[in-house]
Amino acid sequence: MIDYKTLSNKYGTPLYLYDFNHINDQYNALKSAFRARKSLICYAVKANSNLSVIKHLGDMGAGCDCVSIGEVRRALLAGVSNYKIILSGVGKRDNEILEALEKDILMINLESEAELERVEIQAKSLDKKARISVRVNPNIDPKTHPYISTGLHENKFGVDLDTAKRMYIKAKNSDFLDPVGIHFHIGSQLTELSPIKESSEVVADLVRSLKAIKIDIKFFDIGGGLGIDYEGERLIKPYDYAQAIFETLGTLDMTIMCEPGRFLVGNSGEFITKVLYEKVNEDKRFVIVDGAMNDLIRPSLYNAFHRIELLDREENISKADVVGPVCESGDFFAKDINLPQSYHDDLVVIKSAGAYCFTMSSNYNTRGRVAEVALEDGEDRLIRARESFDDMIKNEKDYLI
Ligand code: LLP
């Protein structure tokens, strides 16, 4: 049982709590599902890039899927080996490509022909051979929220099959490129297996046709996207996921890579916020809390659902909107949910807040980013200090004239 009261007195609110034991369970469930083959789980750092979270996963054996050189630096700082780090992303700057090559990471994932040329130029300047993979866009509907769906040709991600093939041939013929991997990622919060399996089939067929022309790919990267339980969704079981991939690969002997973010950390996290007061306008009841959209933007941005619990209250239940203090009507955590009557300083727990919550937070309304705390084996420890006012203005104050 988490003692929310003690923790919120100790660290203040709003606050993120992460259960590191839950992260272990998720990692182990996925790793063991793939145990019949060589596999590498590269944690999608964007989901939660706290250094201690990365280190925790790295210590268990995970690599990292990064989408900026900043994330690569975080992974290295957290002790993840360079040979387990990959760099993806639809638009990489030259300096990011150069640094990734200097740091000798496992591979750079290419998302366009133009990018292949930039990577070749940078590799040549270092007189190195860049290990690359190509992100294939299989044009398959992942059946998830349109904002987090990425595997259709209408999305900006990856390249079509013909382009991919051309890129592999170019890479094979280049002195500065080494095509070692292939990649697809069709979307996030996926709850249906069939689009993943179909995509894997398409990409495995491409691998076979490349093999026929002597281009031998070693890493089969199936991206991330496994959904989690926010509101009772039916989930893809890791075992079924792995079996589906094994089936599509058949006798192809490749290291399977995956890039889960949300699956590993999403349900490890909770956001703790305090009731400031209640307010009733005409028929509408608002519970105003000290956390806001700048701390956790998923409800405002995607209309995403997060379970909400008001601690230690049961009486006078009625419909309420749970809202923050930011000056936007979109600043809400939930609308029209049943909630007991609340009082000043009551604690509210917002569930499933381990992925894409802190990492998408901002200083909007000059609100400091909140503290993050790890819970492990019954102990709690601070893993990110609350941002102070001085932290927020430090890059501006010297320019005040
Ligand atoms: N690999 C690639 C290439 C990705 O683009 C992503 C996520 C992942 C892996 C990890 O996906 P996951 O396993 O976490 O589903 N902010 C949104 C989610 C954006 C996902 C972006 N890409 C949200 O709050 O739902």
Side-chain angles (χ1 to χ4, degrees):
M1 274 298 280
I2 300 177
D3 184 351
Y4 294 104
K5 211 150 226 138
T6 305
L7 291 169
S8 67
N9 286 336
K10 183 166 170 186
Y11 298 106
T13 61
L15 175 69
Y16 278 102
L17 295 178
Y18 306 122
D19 176 355
F20 276 21
N21 296 106
H22 177 83
I23 298 179
N24 289 9
D25 295 345
Q26 294 296 97
Y27 179 82
N28 290 332
L30 198 55
K31 188 67 191 168
S32 69
F34 281 99
R35 68 176 167 258
R37 299 253 192 156
K38 285 170 286 182
S39 70
L40 176 64
I41 296 179
C42 284
Y43 168 55
V45 170
K46 64 169 88 67
N48 185 324
S49 50
N50 184 291
L51 289 173
S52 300
V53 172
I54 302 173
K55 177 170 189 303
H56 186 72
L57 279 157
D59 287 349
M60 280 194 292
C64 283
D65 166 44
C66 301
V67 289
S68 68
I69 205 65
E71 287 191 353
V72 171
R73 289 183 191 175
R74 275 182 182 271
L76 290 168
L77 199 60
V80 176
S81 310
N82 56 337
Y83 60 84
K84 287 185 176 174
I85 296 175
I86 59 179
L87 177 63
S88 307
V90 78
K92 304 174 196 75
R93 290 195 315 262
D94 282 354
N95 66 315
E96 296 185 284
I97 296 168
L98 199 64
E99 193 174 326
L101 292 173
E102 281 165 352
K103 300 214 150 99
D104 209 19
I105 64 167
L106 176 58
M107 59 189 173
I108 297 179
N109 186 25
L110 304 178
E111 299 225 19
S112 63
E113 277 186 289
E115 192 175 48
L116 178 143
E117 279 161 28
R118 295 310 308 169
V119 171
E120 189 178 29
I121 291 169
Q122 304 306 323
K124 191 171 177 184
S125 78
L126 295 173
D127 198 22
K128 270 192 163 181
K129 225 169 170 163
R131 286 179 297 275
I132 57 109
S133 63
V134 175
R135 177 167 180 178
V136 179
N137 183 329
N139 198 25
I140 286 166
D141 184 357
K143 307 198 174 85
T144 184
H145 191 293
Y147 281 15
I148 50 177
S149 133
T150 51
L152 285 168
H153 284 169
E154 67 191 54
N155 303 126
K156 66 180 174 181
F157 301 97
V159 296
D160 60 46
L161 291 167
D162 290 342
T163 310
K165 196 159 185 177
R166 244 190 348 262
M167 287 168 71
Y168 279 109
I169 293 169
K170 266 194 198 166
K172 172 80 175 169
N173 293 329
S174 163
D175 290 336
F176 302 101
L177 299 171
D178 185 10
V180 295
I182 195 156
H183 176 233
F184 67 91
H185 168 85
I186 57 170
S188 200
Q189 183 56 15
L190 306 179
T191 51
E192 285 193 40
L193 186 54
S194 55
I196 305 177
K197 189 167 182 192
E198 261 177 72
S199 307
S200 182
E201 195 93 61
V202 167
V203 177
D205 283 343
L206 177 60
V207 171
R208 282 182 268 269
S209 79
L210 291 171
K211 219 177 163 69
I213 53 169
K214 302 253 166 339
I215 300 176
D216 220 351
I217 310 285
K218 300 184 195 69
F219 297 102
F220 192 77
D221 183 346
I222 60 176
L226 277 185
I228 60 165
D229 178 0
Y230 285 100
E231 50 178 328
E233 293 90 337
R234 263 192 59 205
L235 303 177
I236 299 169
K237 294 190 183 66
Y239 177 84
D240 297 341
Y241 181 52
Q243 292 300 315
I245 304 296
F246 294 166
E247 268 174 49
T248 59
L249 281 179
T251 56
L252 283 175
D253 179 25
M254 301 175 81
T255 298
I256 299 169
M257 293 178 53
C258 58
E259 307 168 349
R262 193 188 317 264
F263 177 84
L264 294 177
V265 296
N267 269 332
S268 77
E270 292 179 333
F271 180 68
I272 317 302
T273 177
K274 225 174 217 177
V275 173
L276 296 175
Y277 23 75
E278 290 212 6
K279 165 171 172 174
V280 179
N281 281 353
E282 307 244 326
D283 297 333
K284 195 96 182 153
R285 171 183 165 217
F286 296 99
V287 175
I288 302 169
V289 294
D290 64 357
M293 66 188 288
N294 73 296
D295 305 312
L296 196 168
I297 202 173
R298 301 192 73 257
S300 313
L301 194 58
Y302 312 114
N303 211 14
F305 177 87
H306 286 257
R307 286 196 179 98
I308 291 188
E309 211 181 299
L310 171 68
L311 295 183
D312 304 324
R313 301 279 178 207
E314 282 163 11
E315 297 192 340
N316 293 330
I317 295 178
S318 67
K319 296 265 184 232
D321 286 8
V322 180
V323 302
V326 159
C327 311
E328 303 254 358
S329 300
D331 179 25
F332 65 91
F333 292 121
K335 287 192 164 173
D336 286 323
I337 58 164
N338 285 320
L339 216 64
Q341 170 92 41
S342 69
Y343 297 89
H344 188 72
D345 280 352
D346 279 355
L347 290 175
V348 171
V349 179
I350 301 186
K351 308 278 187 181
S352 309
Y356 306 109
C357 290
F358 185 90
T359 44
M360 293 176 75
S361 65
S362 75
N363 288 132
Y364 189 39
N365 279 208
T366 305
R367 293 168 50 89
R369 284 190 180 75
V370 309
E372 296 181 288
V373 166
L375 305 176
E376 190 174 14
D377 303 330
E379 308 278 329
D380 54 272
R381 65 174 203 276
L382 188 65
I383 56 171
R384 192 187 208 272
R386 190 174 297 283
E387 244 172 28
S388 66
F389 176 68
D390 284 346
D391 292 333
M392 283 189 278
I393 59 157
K394 70 174 186 297
N395 293 335
E396 299 163 46
K397 65 175 195 301
D398 292 345
Y399 302 97
L400 196 61
I401 48 171

